[in-house]
Amino acid sequence: ETGVTQTPRHLVMGMTNKKSLKCEQHLGHNAMYWYKQSAKKPLELMFVYNFKEQTENNSVPSRFSPECPNSSHLFLHLHTLQPEDSALYLCASSQWTGATYNEQFFGPGTRLTVL
Amino acid sequence: GNSVTQMEGPVTLSEEAFLTINCTYTATGYPSLFWYVQYPGEGLQLLLKATKADDKGSNKGFEATYRKETTSFHLEKGSVQVSDSAVYFCALCTGNQFYFGTGTSLTVIP
């Protein structure tokens, strides 16, 4: 148990569906991240939020839409996805000290399958 | 630019064998260095870290020493167990960015 929870753990959706992934951290951190992990590929950083403000968007397609209502919660809204978006989506949190980030803590991930 | 390079896998060892997984980095400034482990079906878990040169991180029998002169942070364990089978990721943080290696898969056979 890392203090970061993600729901659902597994999700199967069609290309025309709309769904959302949820992440919650119980560590009092002020930064949250979304990563995509595909088989045989490096971990891909998607979005970074620092104090609820988005500070990084790594050229992610607009069919992925993040939302960070507060420092403890992070959502990833999904719509009109493609089969190649099937992957493990990992949420992480860390503490920004003002000069650097401390280590990241990861959730268990959501295994997404797009049919 | 900043990057992490770790040895290609997969690595297969017999139980009680010695483990080394190499990791080298390129970074500006003075990064913090990390090893994460990912068990099947789970997210990444922090295994150990070191925040300055010559620091040694250690946890669960694993060790890694921050070597600035060789820009390395190799992971070692003296005697691996079947339960150590997982994917290991080397990572660095410099300022406001994290960088991860591609992961090294370890399988330990009885």
Side-chain angles (χ1 to χ4, degrees), chain B residues 41-88:
Chain B
E42 299 184 14
L44 279 68
Q45 300 175 28
L46 180 67
L47 182 59
L48 52 85
K49 68 176 183 180
T51 57
K52 62 183 188 297
D54 300 324
D55 267 3
K56 178 186 281 188
S58 60
N59 185 25
K60 300 181 182 179
F62 291 90
E63 293 184 340
T65 301
Y66 189 143
R67 302 282 189 204
K68 191 163 177 62
E69 64 277 11
T70 55
T71 61
S72 64
F73 193 54
H74 304 321
L75 182 68
E76 295 181 337
K77 187 175 185 182
S79 175
V80 293
Q81 305 300 312
V82 172
S83 56
D84 294 327
S85 298
V87 180
Y88 292 81

Side-chain angles (χ1 to χ4, degrees), chain A residues 9 33 35 37 42-43 56 88 90 96 99-104 106-108, chain B residues 34 36 38 41-46 49 89 93-98 100 102:
Chain A
R9 292 293 308 274
Y33 311 74
Y35 286 89
Q37 187 177 35
L43 206 59
E56 187 98 18
L88 182 68
L90 293 166
W96 171 249
T100 187
Y101 286 108
N102 289 337
E103 62 270 23
Q104 293 182 328
F106 284 81
Chain B
F34 310 91
Y36 284 85
Q38 186 176 30
E42 299 184 14
L44 279 68
Q45 300 175 28
L46 180 67
K49 68 176 183 180
F89 293 87
C93 180
T94 174
N96 62 352
Q97 294 271 9
F98 280 90
F100 285 84
T102 52

